[in-house]
Amino acid sequence: MTATTRTAVERLAPDRLFIGGEWVDARSGARLATYHPATGELVAEVAEAREEDVDAAVAAARAAFDAGPWPRLDAADRAELLWKLADAIAADADRLARLEVLDTGKPIREAQIDLRETVDAFRYYAGWATKLHGQTIPVRGAVLNYTLREPVGVVGAIIPWNFPLLMAAWKVAPALACGNAVVLKPAEQTPLTALELAALAARVGLPPGVLNVVPGYGETAGAALVRHPGVDKIAFTGSTAVGRQIGQLVAGTDKALTLELGGKAANIIFEDAALDQAVEGIVNGIYFNQGEVCCAGSRLLVQESVVDVVIEKLKDRLATLRVGDPLDKNTDVGAINSRAQLEKIEELVASGVAEGAEIYQPACQLPERGYFFRPTLFTNVAQSHRIAREEIFGPVLSVLTFRTPDEAIEKANNTEYGLSAGIWTEKGSRILEMARRLRAGVVWANTYNKFDPTSPFGGYKESGFGREGGLHGLLAYVRLEDR
Ligand code: NAI
Ligand code: MG
C-alpha cells in the first residue's frame, strides 16, 4: 500500500479472486497492478485471472445455479438479501467512493453519486424479486396454460473502467434478483470495488458461488468467459469494437447477449431555450467523469441565431471548472483513467486542429503528474471531421450549428451511434416531436445525464442492444425475455 493509498483509505480491498465463496490466488500466480491516474502511483496488486481461473469461477457459478439454494430460495428471501447488500454498500459508501477514485481518477463528488446510484440499483431490483409474474394464457380446451419467468442461469458480466461499481450493480442486481449466478469480470484498470462488492455480498450471506469476481485482462479472462460453454448469458459494457467481437463469438451459440457500447450523443439547443440552464446542462453532459461516459453529450448542435452567445457562455463556464486532485471535494474534472486513454484523446484533438476546427481550452493550471487533460471546446466543426464522428471518451466538446428542426434531426442522427441525445427548448410540442424522431435509446429534455434505476437505458445502432435499468433491465435476466 502506497502513501497516497494509505491517506485515502485505511484499508484496501481484498486482493485475490473470489470464487465459490473463497478468496483464492490465480492458478498461474499472476498479479495485476492498478495505478492512481492522478499521480501514477501504484494503488494495489490483485490476483490476475486467466482462462483456468475463469473455468473455476464458471464451475462454481454452475454448481450454485444447478444445485445450490439461490435459484430455489423464496423470492422474498432473495429480496431481503439484496436489500441487506444495499445497506452494507451504503454503510461503506465513503470508503468505496474513495477506492473508486483511486482506481478511476474521477472526482470524489462524482464517485459519491455513483455510490448512491449503486445502492439505489440494489434496492430497486430487490423489490422486483417478488414481482416476477408469469402469465396465464387462454388456450382452447380445458387446460391451464401458463408462463414462468425463470432465471437464465450463469451470467458472465464484463464491465468497463469508467463506472466500475455502478456498471457492476446494473448487471449484478437484476441478475441476482431473478435467481441467476454471476461471474463478474471487472476491467483490468479498476478491479477494487468489484472485489469489495464480493466481500460485502459474502458478509450479508449470499451463498457461495452465486457471485464470483475474476479481475483480469479482456483478451484472456474476458474472452475465456465469452467462449465458455457453461455461461448462459453475456452482459457486456465497453467499446463497440470489443462488443462486435463478442457478438460474433456468441452468434450461433445458445448464449443470450446484451451489449452497452459507445456513443456520440448530440445535445441540441434551440434559440428559445433557457440558455443559462442549457449551458450548465451541456457542461455537465460532456465534462462529467472527464467525458469518459458512453452517453456523453460530445456533439453540441446550436441553432445559428444563438451560437455566438452560447459559445461565449460556454467559454466563461469552462474557465471556472476546477481540474485537479480527484480526492479534493472541490474538483470538477479529475484525471483521465490511463495513459492509453489520454493518448487516444490527444490524438483525436490533434486531428480536430489538423482538419481545421478551432480549439479553445481554458488556461487552468494542470497538476504536474498524472493523466490530466484540459476541458476542450471545438468550434467551426464540420460533420466530416473525426471529432464529430468518433467517440473521444474525454472532456472534448464539438460545436456544430443548424437552422431548422429538420436540419437538427438530420445532423443529430448522422452518426453510427444511437445511445442518447439531449434537447433544450421551452416548447413542449417540439420536445415530443424531436424525441420521437431522434434515433437514440434515451432522449433527455432540459436536463442531461439523469439516471434512475427505474428507467431503461440502452442504445440503437452501433451503441448496442438490450436495456439496463427498469423492468426491461430485469427481463434481460429471465428466460422468455432474455436476448
Ligand atoms: P474495452 O471494450 O477493451 O474494455 C471494456 C471491458 O471489456 C474490460 O473489462 C476489458 O477487459 C474487456 N475486454 C476487452 N477485450 C475483450 C475481449 N476480447 N473479450 C472480452 N472482454 C474484453 O474498452 P477499452 O479498451 O478500455 O477502451 C477503449 C474505448 O472504448 C474507449 O476509449 C471508449 O471509447 C470505449 N469505451 C466505452 C465504454 C462504455 O461505457 N460504453 C466503456 C469503456 C470504453
Ligand atoms: Mg480495449
Side-chain angles (χ1 to χ4, degrees):
M1 200 160 158
T2 62
T4 326
T5 313
R6 207 173 299 115
T7 53
V9 287
E10 57 288 0
R11 72 190 153 80
L12 258 187
D15 66 350
R16 292 193 283 173
L17 314 178
F18 191 68
I19 297 179
E22 310 276 345
W23 295 102
V24 297
D25 287 316
R27 304 300 190 271
S28 67
R31 316 268 295 164
L32 66 81
T34 84
Y35 299 93
H36 184 37
T39 60
E41 284 172 293
L42 181 72
V43 175
E45 281 187 3
V46 303
E48 181 211 318
R50 296 189 182 162
E51 187 167 357
E52 60 273 23
D53 307 296
V54 170
D55 285 347
V58 173
R62 270 273 50 107
F65 184 75
D66 294 335
W70 184 248
R72 284 158 275 281
L73 206 61
D74 289 344
D77 293 335
R78 280 207 309 276
E80 190 178 334
L81 202 136
L82 285 178
W83 194 275
K84 278 188 189 154
L85 179 53
D87 286 346
I89 297 167
D92 219 8
D94 277 350
R95 197 176 61 89
L96 290 169
R98 278 177 279 127
L99 272 178
E100 200 78 314
V101 172
L102 291 179
D103 257 3
T104 60
K106 71 172 65 200
I108 183 72
R109 246 190 308 118
E110 297 181 359
Q112 286 160 348
I113 297 173
D114 292 3
L115 260 295
R116 258 199 317 278
E117 292 182 358
T118 297
V119 171
D120 277 356
F122 276 100
R123 293 208 170 121
Y124 172 74
Y125 281 113
W128 271 117
T130 49
K131 295 161 195 76
L132 279 166
H133 302 175
Q135 293 176 316
T136 53
I137 301 168
V139 294
R140 285 190 191 279
V143 292
L144 174 64
N145 187 28
Y146 63 95
T147 60
L148 287 178
R149 280 179 164 155
E150 298 177 311
V152 172
V154 171
V155 174
I158 301 176
I159 59 165
W161 43 263
N162 52 345
F163 295 90
L165 186 59
L166 184 59
M167 291 303 103
W170 280 14
K171 293 173 173 54
V172 171
L176 295 189
C178 299
N180 296 283
V182 178
V183 177
L184 170 64
K185 195 209 78 67
E188 55 270 29
Q189 299 88 346
T190 55
L192 299 182
T193 49
L195 294 169
E196 285 288 342
L197 181 66
L200 293 175
R203 199 201 298 162
V204 299
L206 193 72
V210 176
L211 175 61
N212 307 275
V213 180
V214 285
Y217 293 95
E219 297 72 17
T220 51
L225 194 54
V226 171
R227 282 195 309 262
H228 203 295
V231 172
D232 299 298
K233 178 192 166 93
I234 294 290
F236 173 80
T237 300
S239 62
T240 294
V242 172
R244 215 178 270 137
Q245 279 175 35
I246 291 176
Q248 282 162 4
L249 281 173
V250 163
T253 73
D254 60 357
K255 284 191 184 76
L257 178 65
T258 45
L259 298 173
E260 298 282 350
L261 309 175
K264 192 71 190 175
N267 238 325
I268 307 168
I269 303 188
F270 286 92
E271 61 190 2
D272 66 283
L275 291 184
D276 287 328
Q277 184 197 338
V279 164
E280 205 50 37
I282 301 306
V283 166
N284 166 59
I286 182 63
Y287 303 111
F288 180 76
N289 210 54
Q290 301 77 239
E292 297 163 318
V293 183
C294 46
C295 54
S298 53
R299 288 184 299 153
L300 175 59
L301 300 182
V302 192
Q303 199 155 19
E304 246 176 41
S305 49
V306 290
V307 68
D308 291 340
V309 45
V310 165
I311 288 172
E312 207 51 43
K313 284 178 190 286
L314 273 171
K315 286 181 176 172
D316 288 349
R317 184 65 179 92
L318 248 65
T320 69
L321 289 176
R322 289 159 297 195
V323 185
D325 179 4
L327 286 162
D328 182 334
K329 65 176 181 1
N330 293 316
T331 292
D332 298 307
V333 180
I336 303 302
N337 180 251
S338 64
R339 177 174 298 281
Q341 187 58 37
L342 181 62
E343 285 170 358
K344 177 185 168 185
I345 296 167
E346 286 168 347
E347 195 268 325
L348 274 159
V349 165
S351 84
V353 174
E355 289 188 296
E358 199 171 304
I359 189 170
Y360 169 80
Q361 294 175 315
C364 58
Q365 194 70 36
L366 292 188
E368 278 166 25
R369 292 187 302 173
Y371 310 133
F372 288 92
F373 197 81
R374 282 198 170 77
T376 300
L377 179 71
F378 273 113
T379 52
N380 281 334
V381 180
Q383 286 192 89
S384 58
H385 290 168
R386 286 180 63 204
I387 54 170
R389 312 201 65 81
E390 296 180 28
E391 182 175 55
I392 300 177
F393 229 59
V396 182
L397 179 63
S398 299
V399 183
L400 298 106
T401 59
F402 66 92
R403 289 186 190 160
T404 64
D406 282 347
E407 193 186 348
I409 291 281
E410 191 278 314
K411 285 188 169 170
N413 286 341
N414 183 3
T415 165
E416 66 194 59
Y417 295 111
L419 192 52
S420 60
I423 309 162
W424 300 84
T425 173
E426 293 295 290
K427 240 181 157 173
S429 58
R430 176 166 288 157
I431 292 173
L432 299 177
E433 190 205 342
M434 298 288 289
R436 188 171 50 75
R437 294 175 64 195
L438 284 165
R439 303 277 299 150
V442 178
V443 179
W444 284 292
N446 296 329
T447 185
Y448 205 83
N449 273 345
K450 266 238 178 314
F451 289 98
D452 197 281
T454 58
S455 302
F457 178 82
Y460 287 23
K461 300 196 268 184
E462 301 276 308
S463 292
F465 60 84
R467 295 291 178 270
E468 294 190 304
L471 175 59
H472 298 86
L474 180 82
L475 298 181
Y477 293 93
V478 292
R479 299 281 174 195
L480 263 191
E481 328 253 353
D482 61 327
R483 23 184 329 181

